[in-house]
Amino acid sequence: MVHLAALITFLTCVALSKAQHEPGYCAFYEECGRNPSLGETLIPPIVPCLNYSRARPITGEHYQKLKQVCPILDHGENNTYACCSIKQLTSLEMSLTLSKAVLIRCPSCADNFAHLHCINTCSPNQSQSVKVTKVMNVTTFGKTREAVVGYQAFISNTFADASFQSCKNVRIPATGGYAIATMCGRYGAKLCTAQRWYDFQGDSSNGLAPLDIDFQLVKAGDTAGLPEGVIPYNGRALKCNETTPSGGQICSCQDCQESCPVMPPIPPPAVPFSILGINGYLVISIILFCLLIFAFLIFLLISNLVRHRKRKYEETGKRKGKGKDQNSNDVTQKVIDPSEVTCADRNSLTAQAFLSTLFQEWGTVMATYPLTVLLASAVVVVIFAAGLMSLELTTDPVELWSAPNSRARQEKDFHDTHFGPFFRTNQLILTAPGRKGYIYDSLLFGPQNFSGIVSKDLIIELLELQKRIQNIEFWSEDLNRTASLKDVCYAPLNPTEPSLTDCAVNSLPQYFQNSLDNINAKVNMTELGVTKEVDWRDHLIYCLNSPLSFKDITDLGMSCMADYGAPVFSFLAVGGYDNDDYTDAEALILTFSLNNYARNNTKFKVAMQWETEFLKIVQDYKKNPAANFTFAYMAERSLEDEINRTTAEDIPIFMISYAVIFIYIAVALGEYSSWKRILVDSKFLVGLGGILVVASSVLASMGFYSWVGIPSSLVILQVVPFLVLAVGADNIFIFVLEYQRDVRRIGEKREEQIGRVLGNVAPSMLLCSLSESVCFFLGALSTMPAVKSFALYAALAVLMDFVLQMTAFVALLSLDARRQEGNRCELFCCVKVSTQRPNKPNEGFLLPLMRKYYAPVLLSCYTRIIVMLLFIFMFCGSLFLMFNVTVGLDQELAMPQGSYMLDYFQYLYKYFEVGVPVYFVTKRGFNFTTVEGMNAVCSSVGCDQFSLTQKIQYATEYPDRSYMAIPANSWVDDFVDWLNPGSKCCRLYAYGPNAGKFCPADKSAFLCPKKCMTTPSDGVLRPTVEQFNRFLPDFLGNRPDLQCPKGGLGAYDTAVVRDATGEIIASRFMAYHTPLTNSQEFTAALLKSRELAHNITMGMRKVPGTSPDFEVFPYTVTSVFYEQYLTIVPEGLFNISLCLLPTFVVCCLLLGLDLRSGLLNLITIIMIVVDTVGVMTLWGIDYNAVALINLVTAVGISVEFVSHMTRSFALSIKPTHVERAMEATANMGSAVFAGVAMTNLPGIIVLAFAKAQLIQIFFFRLNLIITLLGMAHGLIFLPVLLSYFGPGVNKAVLLQLQQVKAKELEIRNNMRQVYDNLSYE
């Protein structure tokens, strides 16, 4: 039998080798039956009979069928010959229909594709271009015939290349990819060539070709090796920018580069600002520095000349300094004439006198009735704080950083309302760094690189992990039953009642339909005479390059589609590959997509519960020593969870920080005159009272706003107490130190002394507190919710702190003073000590130190010059650095150190090959049903060259500028293709109860012979308004399959929203960004997509019938977070400017319209803010909303450092500027140093140990910068600045002192006269 079979094969080969190749002859004719060499296929593999005979004349129905299927062979009814029967034409039509479904967008491509197969099957000169190479006996209905199961087709290179060129750029709108990728097997679109394209078409293992066709592409004029009589077919292939003979229009630009209009060159990217080729900001900063130094030097020169002239004037005896009055008493001040006193001086004196008197009387009353005041204060605080019972904490990042009326929030609300929220992503990115790669020599694909992670055992391990996660079950209180993945999963092809296999899970095992049997499958396969085993690797190679295939080209015959019915694109299965070398990827990706729900939806909690279980499984698996993967993971809830976790973990750090501040205050306020009196003179309870005042003011503020309904946030809980503590501690120190340094006057009561001391310092406290409070209230005009709520809470807290200091703290100090005077111990009030308190002012150690050493050194001649030069340099340098500060906040910084999310972000940026999806959303007001409307959107044949999708396509050609990577899908394009009669997608039932209704593609042609639409004469298919509205719902509900891959279910069913009348009120077109790795790229991508959307909007508004307010906008899930960075610079300038305004105005008003003091105050605070931003740049602190909150805080703290000093200088009556600056530095500077700098620094340093990077950077680093710079400017620069440019002595004060002294002198003289008279008598 073996010999007989060999003999038959030999005789067959001999017979085939002697086949003739003559014009007018066929090589085969009629259908013989099913190809016996093929197993299960996607379409029936019907093969022709071997039949060397003359071509048949075609007439009647046969002719009409030929004219319909192969118009290229039509030469008139009485002059047309062909080598195919009507049955063959029907089979050919069915085969071409499948291909036309994806190629029909480009009529010339579809024509060229049909052209070749019509020549092979039906050409009257078939034998000249075809050589039969393999036949088999086929028995049908008891009759055995020889069937052709393989042949060679000879085609000229010219025709083949032209056909390929016309098709290679045709797109599939649903995926944004190329149609050729599904028709080139393992090579995909990138590596596809004409030869590879034809090889795939002729490969019977692809499930579509009924027999093997060996396409021989022959160069023009090359006859070497050709069988005798063979003439390679060299017909004319249409170019994609040519119309077809049947009237089809040229292909669109998106499918045919030759059809694209000549685009003007894009403008070059904006060059950095420069002057003479040097950084422009650097040049400006240097020029400003030189100008300021020059101006300062000129000022020094002039002031020295004036001083020299004044000295000469004094030497002539006309000096106005020290002299003798008429009674031979020393006069140390110039005698002031009332006419010399200016209005401003009188106003300043009046303001100070009024405030001092008011606060003196107020303080006396508060100190007289301390218990009553404390009780009343406690009642008020409790009433305010009661609102905390309804406290609402905002933790949603969207609510925190995006204003409800902002563009991004409005766009998000529109998108979520019409399309639902973007699905929830739960993802693992897995690597196996210890695994070595290898080269796999594939029978079909040749040598292929396989990385260590793309191995069978790891794929199986990944599948086991995936199934474990898929099978998660848990009890849901909200559903009152056991819940699982199917309750919350995103199921695009069965959204109503999904099963587990309907859930969208994207992973590499999905190429095997999550089947272990498919992974283990292997079979021997023969290719080109070589027999080898093919297995999972061959299938994987094919699927990674052709993910849309329903059947691979190996003898395994497996599908590439996921078990839920959709394709898994390569970039969703593997990552970390180069040049589309997918099998050499460094990472595997596993993604579970859940539906997203509103927070008030029951299923939102169910989804959160599922994600909790997901995290438990993943974390347990990570701890498993047997796991072979190194991986990173995240759940949709992870970001918020980690932020909340780190906040809770860092609360003890904040508590320790406040405790350190409290201990410092308690210790530093003590007088410590003797060891025996240490428990008497300590100020533990006063310090505790000051802390309680701060805490009460914060609680009162939070309670009040809770009553009002303004939610709080974790930022407020962390920053506001810190800010109020800085302000409150400063006022406490100023008040207590002033009291300690004061000596009670003769006959003065303790309460009166406290009132008098309060009258001295309270105006300064009012100046700072009012400035800060107004500053923060104005800061509430910010559009950022977090900044706005922070400003409101801080403003009221600062105001309440001042009120409580003027009431409760005064009362508390009065009680403590009574205890101290009674020599009672602080914690043991019943215990008295015998050592009496010294009856002299207690200056402590800081005041004498600053008066004796610091102030004289600082305000010496040369030191002052050095200080001015140094701070001018710092300011100009910081100004330059300010223009180079990085704007943004990378999401990694919101995570604590050691968070698993940090690993995930690292893996994401390293291994992901595409960025986030971006939707171009259309609003109501555009008529999609008109021809003009469709043409303004689509990108296929007949569409506008600058349509919506075409403009997005143009943008993807410049990914470095546009940040667009993959063009948008288009439901309009796929809907038109779906309607095309050249495909099987849209047909109508002809019989039965559904007659006239839509018929799916999987129904037989007998039931559904009628197409939804007829072929248009010009090849540009556009439905009428009635047809559009009738068939659109059928398209959106049609599940895609092999027979009709253009079905809209899954891809578009949620992309089109219609109202009750059928009008399209919203639709979206999905594209992809390039990989975005930091906030600067996310912000730039948002800006560019908005520019593109605006351009599209302007173009679509020109379409007749479009509403003038119609709009297209881009939406990505990240837009609400990064929109702030588009406006945060002007927003910050606005907020800080508003904060600076009251510091100037309040200072001027409370100092009696002292404009110069207000201006110097303002200049110093501006310098602190500018220097802070400059140091931020040097220390790598980005500018963002959190930084802006701290900069607003910086203005408030700067007021504490600056305003007290300015007021102290303005009220000093020392004769010279330098002496007045020394006095202010010693007296007020010591209190500011002890109360602000030394209060803040210990607490700030503790924050360095926080786990959260956000706290370390924006609370430790930034607050340290603010405090140090505030201290440097307030205690070093400002005294020097005042010594040069400060206001003169208030002459109204001098006149008042002069008059008081005159009255005292008059009284003494009168008393002397009385005494003399009595003595004489």
Side-chain angles (χ1 to χ4, degrees):
M1 287 297 293
V2 175
H3 295 293
L4 179 60
L7 179 60
I8 292 173
T9 303
F10 173 74
L11 293 174
T12 300
C13 291
V14 171
L16 293 177
S17 67
K18 292 182 178 179
Q20 297 178 1
H21 303 283
E22 299 180 71
Y25 278 81
C26 304
F28 44 79
Y29 187 82
E30 193 52 86
E31 292 185 344
C32 263
R34 184 181 177 89
N35 188 338
S37 65
L38 298 181
E40 185 179 350
T41 58
L42 298 173
I43 60 175
I46 307 301
V47 292
C49 298
L50 180 66
N51 190 336
Y52 181 72
S53 57
R54 283 190 175 276
R56 279 73 167 168
I58 303 299
T59 58
E61 183 184 352
H62 196 175
Y63 168 74
Q64 294 300 326
K65 192 69 173 178
L66 178 74
K67 186 177 180 181
Q68 176 187 346
V69 178
C70 296
I72 193 72
L73 299 176
D74 177 26
H75 297 289
E77 186 168 2
N78 297 319
N79 195 34
T80 299
Y81 294 81
C83 288
C84 56
S85 67
I86 195 168
K87 287 184 179 180
Q88 286 179 280
L89 283 170
T90 301
S91 296
L92 177 61
E93 180 183 30
M94 183 175 69
S95 179
L96 292 176
T97 296
L98 296 176
S99 301
K100 283 186 175 181
V102 293
L103 298 178
I104 198 66
R105 287 169 51 85
C106 182
S108 55
C109 165
D111 265 29
N112 289 334
F113 186 86
H115 184 161
L116 175 63
H117 291 286
C118 284
I119 292 299
N120 286 346
T121 306
C122 295
S123 170
N125 301 316
Q126 186 186 65
S127 66
Q128 285 190 298
S129 60
V130 167
K131 178 187 177 182
V132 177
T133 57
K134 187 177 182 181
V135 296
M136 295 183 71
N137 288 333
V138 175
T139 301
T140 308
F141 301 113
K143 185 178 180 181
T144 301
R145 291 176 288 180
E146 285 187 308
V148 176
V149 294
Y151 66 83
Q152 286 182 317
F154 297 90
I155 314 169
S156 74
N157 251 348
T158 306
F159 176 83
D161 287 339
S163 295
F164 175 72
Q165 290 298 324
S166 70
C167 293
K168 72 174 186 178
N169 291 316
V170 176
R171 295 270 185 178
I172 299 178
T175 66
Y178 292 99
I180 205 77
T182 68
M183 305 174 71
C184 212
R186 62 187 182 273
Y187 297 106
K190 190 171 184 179
L191 300 177
C192 195
T193 63
Q195 182 68 64
R196 290 168 175 172
W197 185 41
Y198 285 121
D199 286 345
F200 179 82
Q201 295 173 41
D203 189 348
S204 61
S205 64
N206 64 22
L208 299 173
L211 73 170
D212 290 317
I213 307 173
D214 179 14
F215 287 97
Q216 298 290 317
L217 307 189
V218 183
K219 292 182 180 179
D222 186 3
T223 59
L226 288 179
E228 184 180 352
V230 168
I231 302 175
Y233 181 73
N234 191 24
R236 182 179 180 277
L238 298 170
K239 294 181 179 179
C240 59
N241 62 344
E242 288 185 279
T243 57
T244 65
S246 60
Q249 296 294 305
I250 64 172
C251 305
S252 71
C253 173
Q254 192 171 76
D255 300 316
C256 173
Q257 292 182 354
E258 291 81 357
S259 297
C260 294
V262 178
M263 300 291 292
I266 62 171
V271 296
F273 172 56
S274 63
I275 299 175
L276 300 176
I278 305 173
N279 187 302
Y281 300 115
L282 177 61
V283 173
I284 291 174
S285 299
I286 292 173
I287 292 174
L288 179 63
F289 175 72
C290 294
L291 289 176
L292 291 176
I293 294 298
F294 179 75
F296 176 65
L297 294 177
I298 292 295
F299 168 79
L300 287 180
L301 180 62
I302 294 175
S303 60
N304 281 330
L305 289 175
V306 170
R307 190 179 300 110
H308 179 69
R309 183 172 298 178
K310 182 178 179 182
R311 189 178 297 115
K312 286 184 64 177
Y313 180 75
E314 290 174 350
E315 288 174 355
T316 59
K318 298 180 180 179
R319 56 191 178 89
K320 300 177 181 179
K322 186 176 179 179
K324 300 283 186 177
D325 62 6
Q326 59 184 355
N327 298 307
S328 299
N329 295 313
D330 289 340
V331 178
T332 59
Q333 297 286 350
K334 171 190 172 183
V335 177
I336 304 297
D337 187 86
S339 62
E340 297 181 43
V341 179
T342 63
C343 180
D345 289 340
R346 282 194 293 271
N347 290 337
S348 177
L349 177 62
T350 303
Q352 295 306 314
F354 170 77
L355 290 174
S356 294
T357 303
L358 178 66
F359 281 111
Q360 181 174 352
E361 294 175 356
W362 174 269
T364 303
V365 173
M366 295 297 106
T368 304
Y369 307 101
L371 295 178
T372 304
V373 171
L374 286 173
L375 180 62
S377 300
V379 170
V380 172
V381 170
V382 169
I383 292 173
F384 275 82
L388 289 171
M389 291 186 293
S390 57
L391 177 67
E392 180 183 349
L393 274 181
T394 301
T395 59
D396 184 357
V398 174
E399 297 290 338
L400 276 175
W401 305 114
S402 184
N405 60 346
S406 69
R407 177 177 171 181
R409 278 292 293 280
Q410 290 177 341
E411 291 171 350
K412 181 183 187 301
D413 293 343
F414 181 92
H415 178 274
D416 292 355
T417 301
H418 291 86
F419 307 107
F422 191 79
F423 52 78
R424 302 176 68 88
T425 300
N426 301 271
Q427 192 170 71
L428 292 90
I429 305 174
L430 306 101
T431 62
R435 291 277 187 133
K436 290 185 178 181
Y438 62 97
I439 297 177
Y440 172 61
D441 189 10
S442 170
L443 173 69
L444 297 170
F445 310 115
Q448 298 286 321
N449 291 322
F450 271 68
S451 65
I453 197 170
V454 186
S455 60
K456 185 176 179 179
D457 62 321
L458 290 183
I459 294 173
I460 292 174
E461 185 173 341
L462 177 60
L463 176 59
E464 291 172 352
L465 176 61
Q466 176 182 316
K467 287 187 174 180
R468 186 179 168 194
I469 296 172
Q470 283 179 295
N471 293 327
I472 286 174
E473 290 186 347
F474 55 92
W475 178 260
S476 169
E477 295 291 342
D478 298 283
L479 299 180
N480 197 29
R481 59 175 173 83
T482 301
S484 64
L485 177 62
K486 66 181 181 181
D487 291 302
V488 291
C489 75
Y490 173 63
L493 296 179
N494 188 12
T496 52
E497 295 182 3
S499 64
L500 277 180
T501 53
D502 291 319
C503 294
V505 179
N506 291 312
S507 66
L508 189 141
Q510 283 283 23
Y511 291 127
F512 304 90
Q513 295 74 54
N514 297 328
S515 167
L516 189 59
D517 291 337
N518 286 353
I519 296 174
N520 289 322
K522 52 187 175 182
V523 65
N524 287 329
M525 180 176 177
T526 302
E527 179 78 6
L528 301 177
V530 178
T531 301
K532 287 184 69 173
E533 185 178 82
V534 295
D535 58 13
W536 64 274
R537 289 168 291 197
D538 301 89
H539 176 71
L540 182 62
I541 296 169
Y542 178 81
C543 291
L544 285 169
N545 288 282
S546 301
L548 294 169
S549 297
F550 287 89
K551 185 176 183 294
D552 67 19
I553 62 172
T554 72
D555 283 357
L556 293 169
M558 295 188 297
S559 173
C560 295
M561 291 292 184
D563 63 353
Y564 66 94
V568 177
F569 296 108
S570 306
F571 57 79
L572 294 177
V574 294
Y577 50 83
D578 294 321
N579 300 320
D580 294 343
D581 192 2
Y582 302 116
T583 56
D584 200 27
E586 297 179 20
L588 303 180
I589 301 169
L590 173 59
T591 307
F592 294 84
S593 300
L594 308 186
N595 288 320
N596 212 341
Y597 306 94
R599 288 181 174 253
N600 57 1
N601 190 313
T602 301
K603 284 203 170 183
F604 174 78
K605 294 182 180 178
V606 181
M608 295 283 280
Q609 252 184 298
W610 187 92
E611 289 172 358
T612 301
E613 298 299 319
F614 163 81
L615 290 172
K616 287 179 183 177
I617 289 178
V618 171
Q619 289 164 354
D620 288 344
Y621 176 74
K622 195 176 182 76
K623 296 174 185 176
N624 185 357
N628 292 305
F629 288 113
T630 300
F631 64 92
Y633 59 93
M634 64 85 69
E636 186 72 24
R637 64 176 298 158
S638 294
L639 201 63
E640 190 172 333
D641 281 354
E642 287 296 280
I643 292 174
N644 293 340
R645 177 179 70 83
T646 186
T647 301
E649 290 180 353
D650 283 329
I651 285 177
I653 297 294
F654 278 93
M655 294 298 100
I656 294 172
S657 175
Y658 296 141
V660 169
I661 294 173
F662 161 67
I663 292 171
Y664 166 75
I665 292 175
V667 171
L669 286 179
E671 297 183 70
Y672 312 117
S673 59
S674 168
W675 282 104
K676 295 180 180 180
R677 290 184 55 86
I678 192 168
L679 291 179
V680 176
D681 295 336
S682 66
K683 289 290 184 288
F684 181 85
L685 292 179
V686 172
L688 178 61
I691 297 290
L692 289 176
V693 164
V694 170
S696 298
S697 63
V698 173
L699 292 175
S701 175
M702 295 179 67
F704 173 78
Y705 286 116
S706 296
W707 282 120
V708 176
I710 298 175
S712 183
S713 68
L714 295 172
V715 174
I716 291 173
L717 294 180
Q718 292 167 342
V719 180
V720 171
F722 184 82
L723 169 67
V724 179
L725 192 57
V727 174
D730 186 32
N731 289 342
I732 289 171
F733 269 88
I734 290 173
F735 184 24
V736 173
L737 292 180
E738 182 72 13
Y739 177 73
Q740 291 174 348
R741 295 168 183 173
D742 185 68
V743 176
R744 188 175 302 168
R745 296 174 181 174
I746 298 174
E748 189 179 44
K749 297 180 180 179
R750 178 182 60 255
E751 292 79 6
E752 292 173 346
Q753 182 191 9
I754 292 175
R756 178 171 52 78
V757 170
L758 184 67
N760 292 338
V761 297
S764 183
M765 296 162 65
L766 174 66
L767 168 63
C768 292
S769 298
L770 190 59
S771 297
E772 291 158 0
S773 187
V774 174
C775 157
F776 291 129
F777 274 123
L778 291 176
L781 295 175
S782 171
T783 58
M784 291 184 196
V787 177
K788 181 176 183 177
S789 58
F790 161 77
L792 287 173
Y793 275 78
L796 185 57
V798 169
L799 200 59
M800 285 295 299
D801 183 60
F802 175 75
V803 171
L804 290 175
Q805 284 175 342
M806 294 297 102
T807 52
F809 189 76
V810 173
L812 186 65
L813 184 65
S814 176
L815 290 174
D816 188 73
R818 182 191 304 173
R819 174 198 61 78
Q820 190 175 9
E821 289 178 6
N823 294 327
R824 297 180 182 274
C825 293
E826 190 166 35
L827 298 178
F828 308 98
C829 297
C830 297
V831 179
K832 287 188 176 183
V833 296
S834 57
T835 306
Q836 296 296 315
R837 180 186 179 187
N839 191 21
K840 61 179 181 179
N842 183 5
E843 293 186 343
F845 76 94
L846 195 58
L847 176 59
L849 184 70
M850 297 191 78
R851 181 192 297 137
K852 188 174 181 180
Y853 299 106
Y854 177 74
V857 171
L858 173 66
L859 295 167
S860 64
C861 179
Y862 296 109
T863 305
R864 288 193 298 153
I865 296 174
I866 293 172
V867 166
M868 287 298 295
L869 295 178
L870 178 62
F871 277 81
I872 290 173
F873 174 78
M874 282 175 55
F875 173 72
C876 295
S878 296
L879 196 63
F880 165 70
L881 292 171
M882 185 174 70
F883 287 107
N884 293 277
V885 69
T886 302
V887 177
L889 175 62
D890 292 334
Q891 49 191 343
E892 302 98 292
L893 295 180
M895 300 296 101
Q897 291 179 346
S899 170
Y900 65 86
M901 286 297 292
L902 294 177
D903 294 331
Y904 174 76
F905 289 133
Q906 182 181 354
Y907 275 52
L908 180 70
Y909 300 149
K910 183 176 181 180
Y911 296 117
F912 248 70
E913 301 298 328
V914 297
V916 293
V918 51
Y919 295 97
F920 287 86
V921 181
T922 66
K923 291 186 175 181
R924 183 195 293 268
F926 186 81
N927 190 353
F928 287 90
T929 64
T930 64
V931 174
E932 294 85 355
M934 285 181 273
N935 288 343
V937 173
C938 65
S939 56
S940 56
V941 59
C943 300
D944 296 342
Q945 289 184 325
F946 295 99
S947 65
L948 180 150
T949 50
Q950 194 59 60
K951 285 182 177 179
I952 299 173
Q953 161 67 21
Y954 294 146
T956 60
E957 296 174 4
Y958 305 96
D960 293 340
R961 300 285 296 279
S962 67
Y963 297 94
M964 300 294 298
I966 299 177
N969 62 16
S970 170
W971 63 266
V972 175
D973 286 89
D974 277 342
F975 178 44
V976 172
D977 293 346
W978 182 84
L979 288 169
N980 199 300
S983 72
K984 287 181 63 177
C985 291
C986 193
R987 301 176 302 161
L988 301 175
Y989 282 105
Y991 315 103
N994 294 322
K997 294 183 179 179
F998 167 70
C999 173
D1002 58 355
K1003 303 299 180 183
S1004 71
F1006 175 77
L1007 289 175
C1008 312
K1010 186 179 179 182
K1011 303 285 187 178
C1012 295
M1013 295 186 65
T1014 58
T1015 303
S1017 58
D1018 61 356
V1020 179
L1021 182 76
R1022 295 291 182 269
T1024 63
V1025 174
E1026 181 184 0
Q1027 290 170 327
F1028 188 102
N1029 291 322
R1030 176 185 177 186
F1031 294 120
L1032 181 61
D1034 296 324
F1035 163 70
L1036 297 176
N1038 187 205
R1039 184 178 181 128
D1041 55 24
L1042 176 66
Q1043 304 296 327
C1044 179
K1046 293 286 185 175
L1049 182 64
Y1052 301 122
D1053 57 310
T1054 59
V1056 183
V1057 181
R1058 303 194 302 166
D1059 62 11
T1061 65
E1063 180 187 357
I1064 295 175
I1065 58 174
S1067 71
R1068 65 181 184 182
F1069 302 81
M1070 184 179 74
Y1072 280 91
H1073 279 305
T1074 55
L1076 307 173
T1077 59
N1078 55 51
S1079 57
Q1080 291 75 41
E1081 291 182 355
F1082 276 102
T1083 306
L1086 173 61
L1087 179 63
K1088 292 301 180 183
S1089 61
R1090 283 186 172 178
E1091 290 176 358
L1092 177 58
H1094 176 73
N1095 187 288
I1096 292 170
T1097 300
M1098 294 298 101
M1100 294 180 71
R1101 283 181 181 176
K1102 297 176 183 178
V1103 176
T1106 303
S1107 172
D1109 60 351
F1110 167 75
E1111 182 186 1
V1112 178
F1113 67 85
Y1115 171 75
T1116 64
V1117 70
T1118 58
S1119 296
V1120 288
F1121 304 114
Y1122 293 103
E1123 182 192 41
Q1124 58 179 298
Y1125 303 123
L1126 296 176
T1127 58
I1128 196 167
V1129 172
E1131 173 96 6
L1133 290 173
F1134 173 75
N1135 277 299
I1136 293 174
S1137 299
L1138 284 180
C1139 288
L1140 290 171
L1141 182 63
T1143 65
F1144 173 73
V1145 173
V1146 173
C1147 183
C1148 288
L1149 290 177
L1150 294 186
L1151 292 179
L1153 299 179
D1154 187 348
L1155 295 179
R1156 187 185 296 187
S1157 294
L1159 186 61
L1160 295 178
N1161 206 52
L1162 179 64
I1163 289 173
T1164 308
I1165 296 174
I1166 290 174
M1167 290 180 68
I1168 294 174
V1169 174
V1170 171
D1171 288 354
T1172 298
V1173 179
V1175 179
M1176 281 172 58
T1177 307
L1178 290 177
W1179 208 350
I1181 304 174
D1182 293 348
Y1183 172 68
N1184 47 54
V1186 182
L1188 177 57
I1189 288 175
N1190 280 280
L1191 288 175
V1192 172
T1193 304
V1195 175
I1197 294 177
S1198 299
V1199 168
E1200 294 292 324
F1201 278 112
V1202 173
S1203 296
H1204 291 302
M1205 292 284 294
T1206 304
R1207 180 178 181 273
S1208 180
F1209 178 89
L1211 297 182
S1212 175
I1213 56 172
K1214 294 290 184 180
T1216 67
H1217 280 70
V1218 172
E1219 289 177 311
R1220 292 166 64 205
M1222 284 185 181
E1223 182 183 49
T1225 302
N1227 294 340
M1228 189 56 71
S1230 58
V1232 169
F1233 178 78
V1236 185
M1238 293 309 297
T1239 302
N1240 286 3
L1241 284 175
I1244 290 171
I1245 291 172
V1246 172
L1247 296 181
F1249 299 97
K1251 292 183 179 180
Q1253 296 182 85
L1254 208 64
I1255 293 176
Q1256 286 185 2
I1257 293 173
F1258 295 101
F1259 293 93
F1260 165 63
R1261 289 190 197 174
L1262 195 49
N1263 279 298
L1264 182 63
I1265 292 169
I1266 291 168
T1267 302
L1268 292 178
L1269 286 175
M1271 183 171 63
H1273 284 78
L1275 300 180
I1276 300 175
F1277 173 73
L1278 183 60
V1280 174
L1281 183 70
L1282 290 171
S1283 71
Y1284 282 120
F1285 306 103
V1289 179
N1290 190 319
K1291 293 182 179 179
V1293 175
L1294 292 179
L1295 178 62
Q1296 186 182 50
L1297 291 175
Q1298 180 178 304
Q1299 292 172 344
V1300 169
K1301 286 183 179 180
K1303 288 183 179 179
E1304 291 177 352
L1305 181 63
E1306 183 179 354
I1307 292 173
R1308 285 202 300 269
N1309 289 335
N1310 291 336
M1311 291 295 296
R1312 186 179 299 171
Q1313 289 179 0
V1314 170
Y1315 178 77
D1316 290 342
N1317 291 335
L1318 289 173
S1319 299
Y1320 177 76
E1321 290 175 359

